[in-house]
Amino acid sequence: MKSVVVFLMVLGLSCMQIFGQESIKKDTIKLGTGLKKDVGGKFLSINPSTDRVKIKDHEVNQEIQSDSPVDFDFRQERPFYIPTYYVNPSPMFMGDYNAFGQFSLYFYGRGMQTTIPGIGRVNQMMFIYQREINDFLDIYAGVNAAKYTFPYSVGQSFGVSGGMTLHPADDFHLTVFGAYSPDNRYNLNRTYYGATVGYDFTNRFGVEVGVQRYYDVRQGWKTAPMVVPSYKFRKFKLGIDVGGLFYEAVRSAIER
């Protein structure tokens, strides 16, 4: 009797799990003509019959094979327009610029903004009148203004400048110049005067030598030599005063 009971229990346990399968003669999951997806405003579609990927938006319209390397050219607009006269587009110096140009006959203008990291900001503006009176005389005059914004000092500085150049010969010229500012704070607008003698070795290269006196807010009036080599480009003339370097080099050699 016990053997019969054990046999029935084993038979019942073997029949507790039943598997079933239905024969499917056709695909009951139908795909449409294509899969479509909107990715960030870009329309992307996949056609299963041709196995092609198509990307369409206002800038991209191309059809490529899906098995080939796919290059998604999702172009983005720049967040803002950066003018060409900006000197540095980095966030620390954002807004700094340096622009110069002619806005009328004989009249020129210049504007700039300079950020000094950790100190403040300086805005400067200048208007210049420059004219060749004749073959022997050139003149120029200008006015300038500067505004400085520092943590413990906010203000402005104004100044005027002018000069005259004589051409007694084609390659030889004499220049006198000067500038005045009632407020010489931070050396934004300086007070000085002087004279130079210039000679043009070629049509493009020349040099000027002379002397100038300038006012230093800490030491008063001082005298310095001027040595200005210059090179004339197609639209402007570039000159750099290296007289101070020569003066300090000679003074250091004498004091040793």
Side-chain angles (χ1 to χ4, degrees), residues 2 30 38 55 67 81 104 121 123 127 159 205 211 248 251:
K2 293 183 179 180
K30 297 182 179 180
D38 187 9
I55 307 168
D67 55 352
Y81 172 71
S104 182
R121 177 177 298 172
N123 296 85
F127 294 99
F205 178 73
V211 63
E248 294 297 331
R251 185 177 64 85

PDB file of all heavy atoms in Angstrom, residues 2 30 38 55 67 81 104 121 123 127 159 205 211 248 251:
ATOM      1  N   LYS A   2       1.904   1.217   0.812  1.00  0.00           N
ATOM      2  CA  LYS A   2       2.789   2.401   0.873  1.00  0.00           C
ATOM      3  C   LYS A   2       3.452   2.654  -0.456  1.00  0.00           C
ATOM      4  O   LYS A   2       3.659   3.790  -0.863  1.00  0.00           O
ATOM      5  CB  LYS A   2       3.839   2.196   1.958  1.00  0.00           C
ATOM      6  CG  LYS A   2       3.267   2.163   3.367  1.00  0.00           C
ATOM      7  CD  LYS A   2       4.368   2.024   4.379  1.00  0.00           C
ATOM      8  CE  LYS A   2       3.810   2.023   5.806  1.00  0.00           C
ATOM      9  NZ  LYS A   2       4.867   1.889   6.826  1.00  0.00           N
ATOM     10  N   LYS A  30       3.409  44.661 -36.836  1.00  0.00           N
ATOM     11  CA  LYS A  30       3.623  45.354 -38.107  1.00  0.00           C
ATOM     12  C   LYS A  30       4.367  46.662 -37.873  1.00  0.00           C
ATOM     13  O   LYS A  30       4.051  47.411 -36.948  1.00  0.00           O
ATOM     14  CB  LYS A  30       2.290  45.628 -38.800  1.00  0.00           C
ATOM     15  CG  LYS A  30       1.539  44.352 -39.172  1.00  0.00           C
ATOM     16  CD  LYS A  30       0.264  44.690 -39.905  1.00  0.00           C
ATOM     17  CE  LYS A  30      -0.480  43.417 -40.307  1.00  0.00           C
ATOM     18  NZ  LYS A  30      -1.732  43.717 -41.027  1.00  0.00           N
ATOM     19  N   ASP A  38      11.718  62.786 -32.833  1.00  0.00           N
ATOM     20  CA  ASP A  38      12.066  64.203 -32.770  1.00  0.00           C
ATOM     21  C   ASP A  38      13.144  64.374 -31.724  1.00  0.00           C
ATOM     22  O   ASP A  38      12.896  64.192 -30.533  1.00  0.00           O
ATOM     23  CB  ASP A  38      10.842  65.038 -32.412  1.00  0.00           C
ATOM     24  CG  ASP A  38      11.130  66.521 -32.498  1.00  0.00           C
ATOM     25  OD1 ASP A  38      12.209  66.861 -32.994  1.00  0.00           O
ATOM     26  OD2 ASP A  38      10.282  67.328 -32.088  1.00  0.00           O
ATOM     27  N   ILE A  55      18.072  62.567 -41.904  1.00  0.00           N
ATOM     28  CA  ILE A  55      18.072  63.648 -40.917  1.00  0.00           C
ATOM     29  C   ILE A  55      17.664  64.920 -41.629  1.00  0.00           C
ATOM     30  O   ILE A  55      18.228  65.283 -42.656  1.00  0.00           O
ATOM     31  CB  ILE A  55      19.461  63.835 -40.278  1.00  0.00           C
ATOM     32  CG1 ILE A  55      19.959  62.504 -39.718  1.00  0.00           C
ATOM     33  CG2 ILE A  55      19.427  64.889 -39.201  1.00  0.00           C
ATOM     34  CD1 ILE A  55      21.406  62.535 -39.345  1.00  0.00           C
ATOM     35  N   ASP A  67      24.565  51.528 -42.122  1.00  0.00           N
ATOM     36  CA  ASP A  67      25.703  50.708 -41.761  1.00  0.00           C
ATOM     37  C   ASP A  67      27.026  51.439 -41.916  1.00  0.00           C
ATOM     38  O   ASP A  67      28.065  50.920 -41.541  1.00  0.00           O
ATOM     39  CB  ASP A  67      25.721  49.424 -42.607  1.00  0.00           C
ATOM     40  CG  ASP A  67      25.701  49.746 -44.100  1.00  0.00           C
ATOM     41  OD1 ASP A  67      25.527  50.933 -44.429  1.00  0.00           O
ATOM     42  OD2 ASP A  67      25.853  48.807 -44.909  1.00  0.00           O
ATOM     43  N   TYR A  81      26.688  87.616 -30.297  1.00  0.00           N
ATOM     44  CA  TYR A  81      27.612  88.088 -31.323  1.00  0.00           C
ATOM     45  C   TYR A  81      28.783  88.805 -30.667  1.00  0.00           C
ATOM     46  O   TYR A  81      28.587  89.667 -29.812  1.00  0.00           O
ATOM     47  CB  TYR A  81      26.893  89.030 -32.275  1.00  0.00           C
ATOM     48  CG  TYR A  81      27.805  89.716 -33.249  1.00  0.00           C
ATOM     49  CD1 TYR A  81      28.401  89.006 -34.290  1.00  0.00           C
ATOM     50  CD2 TYR A  81      28.093  91.071 -33.131  1.00  0.00           C
ATOM     51  CE1 TYR A  81      29.253  89.626 -35.175  1.00  0.00           C
ATOM     52  CE2 TYR A  81      28.934  91.697 -34.019  1.00  0.00           C
ATOM     53  CZ  TYR A  81      29.506  90.972 -35.039  1.00  0.00           C
ATOM     54  OH  TYR A  81      30.346  91.590 -35.926  1.00  0.00           O
ATOM     55  N   SER A 104      35.049 111.469 -40.113  1.00  0.00           N
ATOM     56  CA  SER A 104      34.811 112.659 -40.926  1.00  0.00           C
ATOM     57  C   SER A 104      36.149 113.102 -41.509  1.00  0.00           C
ATOM     58  O   SER A 104      37.208 112.586 -41.145  1.00  0.00           O
ATOM     59  CB  SER A 104      34.191 113.785 -40.086  1.00  0.00           C
ATOM     60  OG  SER A 104      33.926 114.924 -40.900  1.00  0.00           O
ATOM     61  N   ARG A 121      38.282  98.783 -13.750  1.00  0.00           N
ATOM     62  CA  ARG A 121      38.051  98.953 -15.182  1.00  0.00           C
ATOM     63  C   ARG A 121      38.311 100.406 -15.564  1.00  0.00           C
ATOM     64  O   ARG A 121      38.007 101.327 -14.803  1.00  0.00           O
ATOM     65  CB  ARG A 121      36.620  98.558 -15.534  1.00  0.00           C
ATOM     66  CG  ARG A 121      36.228  98.761 -16.983  1.00  0.00           C
ATOM     67  CD  ARG A 121      34.821  98.262 -17.239  1.00  0.00           C
ATOM     68  NE  ARG A 121      34.716  96.839 -16.987  1.00  0.00           N
ATOM     69  CZ  ARG A 121      33.568  96.171 -16.985  1.00  0.00           C
ATOM     70  NH1 ARG A 121      32.435  96.828 -17.181  1.00  0.00           N
ATOM     71  NH2 ARG A 121      33.556  94.871 -16.777  1.00  0.00           N
ATOM     72  N   ASN A 123      37.787 103.147 -18.887  1.00  0.00           N
ATOM     73  CA  ASN A 123      37.217 103.494 -20.186  1.00  0.00           C
ATOM     74  C   ASN A 123      37.870 104.767 -20.683  1.00  0.00           C
ATOM     75  O   ASN A 123      37.981 105.747 -19.925  1.00  0.00           O
ATOM     76  CB  ASN A 123      35.707 103.682 -20.093  1.00  0.00           C
ATOM     77  CG  ASN A 123      34.977 102.406 -19.716  1.00  0.00           C
ATOM     78  OD1 ASN A 123      34.849 102.097 -18.539  1.00  0.00           O
ATOM     79  ND2 ASN A 123      34.512 101.670 -20.698  1.00  0.00           N
ATOM     80  N   PHE A 127      39.347 112.123 -29.417  1.00  0.00           N
ATOM     81  CA  PHE A 127      39.023 112.705 -30.718  1.00  0.00           C
ATOM     82  C   PHE A 127      40.232 113.510 -31.198  1.00  0.00           C
ATOM     83  O   PHE A 127      40.801 114.296 -30.434  1.00  0.00           O
ATOM     84  CB  PHE A 127      37.793 113.613 -30.633  1.00  0.00           C
ATOM     85  CG  PHE A 127      36.523 112.877 -30.315  1.00  0.00           C
ATOM     86  CD1 PHE A 127      36.037 112.852 -29.023  1.00  0.00           C
ATOM     87  CD2 PHE A 127      35.832 112.203 -31.304  1.00  0.00           C
ATOM     88  CE1 PHE A 127      34.876 112.181 -28.711  1.00  0.00           C
ATOM     89  CE2 PHE A 127      34.661 111.527 -31.014  1.00  0.00           C
ATOM     90  CZ  PHE A 127      34.188 111.505 -29.724  1.00  0.00           C
ATOM     91  N   GLY A 159      42.007 115.653 -20.755  1.00  0.00           N
ATOM     92  CA  GLY A 159      43.261 116.218 -21.220  1.00  0.00           C
ATOM     93  C   GLY A 159      43.182 116.687 -22.657  1.00  0.00           C
ATOM     94  O   GLY A 159      42.256 116.322 -23.403  1.00  0.00           O
ATOM     95  N   PHE A 205      61.100 103.030 -43.649  1.00  0.00           N
ATOM     96  CA  PHE A 205      61.798 103.004 -42.372  1.00  0.00           C
ATOM     97  C   PHE A 205      62.408 104.361 -42.068  1.00  0.00           C
ATOM     98  O   PHE A 205      63.026 105.002 -42.939  1.00  0.00           O
ATOM     99  CB  PHE A 205      62.895 101.941 -42.384  1.00  0.00           C
ATOM    100  CG  PHE A 205      63.691 101.894 -41.112  1.00  0.00           C
ATOM    101  CD1 PHE A 205      63.151 101.379 -39.946  1.00  0.00           C
ATOM    102  CD2 PHE A 205      64.987 102.389 -41.076  1.00  0.00           C
ATOM    103  CE1 PHE A 205      63.876 101.338 -38.779  1.00  0.00           C
ATOM    104  CE2 PHE A 205      65.725 102.353 -39.913  1.00  0.00           C
ATOM    105  CZ  PHE A 205      65.165 101.827 -38.752  1.00  0.00           C
ATOM    106  N   VAL A 211      64.039 114.903 -27.116  1.00  0.00           N
ATOM    107  CA  VAL A 211      63.957 114.959 -25.671  1.00  0.00           C
ATOM    108  C   VAL A 211      62.563 115.428 -25.281  1.00  0.00           C
ATOM    109  O   VAL A 211      61.920 116.187 -26.029  1.00  0.00           O
ATOM    110  CB  VAL A 211      65.034 115.911 -25.097  1.00  0.00           C
ATOM    111  CG1 VAL A 211      64.810 117.332 -25.567  1.00  0.00           C
ATOM    112  CG2 VAL A 211      65.097 115.820 -23.579  1.00  0.00           C
ATOM    113  N   GLU A 248      68.138 104.115 -19.269  1.00  0.00           N
ATOM    114  CA  GLU A 248      68.364 103.275 -18.099  1.00  0.00           C
ATOM    115  C   GLU A 248      69.588 102.377 -18.277  1.00  0.00           C
ATOM    116  O   GLU A 248      70.318 102.112 -17.306  1.00  0.00           O
ATOM    117  CB  GLU A 248      67.125 102.418 -17.837  1.00  0.00           C
ATOM    118  CG  GLU A 248      65.900 103.214 -17.422  1.00  0.00           C
ATOM    119  CD  GLU A 248      66.107 103.950 -16.114  1.00  0.00           C
ATOM    120  OE1 GLU A 248      66.913 103.449 -15.275  1.00  0.00           O
ATOM    121  OE2 GLU A 248      65.482 104.993 -15.911  1.00  0.00           O
ATOM    122  N   ARG A 251      72.608 104.682 -17.719  1.00  0.00           N
ATOM    123  CA  ARG A 251      72.696 105.085 -16.306  1.00  0.00           C
ATOM    124  C   ARG A 251      73.178 103.923 -15.450  1.00  0.00           C
ATOM    125  O   ARG A 251      73.992 104.110 -14.528  1.00  0.00           O
ATOM    126  CB  ARG A 251      71.332 105.566 -15.828  1.00  0.00           C
ATOM    127  CG  ARG A 251      71.342 106.121 -14.412  1.00  0.00           C
ATOM    128  CD  ARG A 251      69.961 106.653 -14.044  1.00  0.00           C
ATOM    129  NE  ARG A 251      68.995 105.573 -14.026  1.00  0.00           N
ATOM    130  CZ  ARG A 251      68.778 104.771 -12.964  1.00  0.00           C
ATOM    131  NH1 ARG A 251      69.519 104.930 -11.860  1.00  0.00           N
ATOM    132  NH2 ARG A 251      67.878 103.821 -13.015  1.00  0.00           N
TER     133      ARG A 251
END
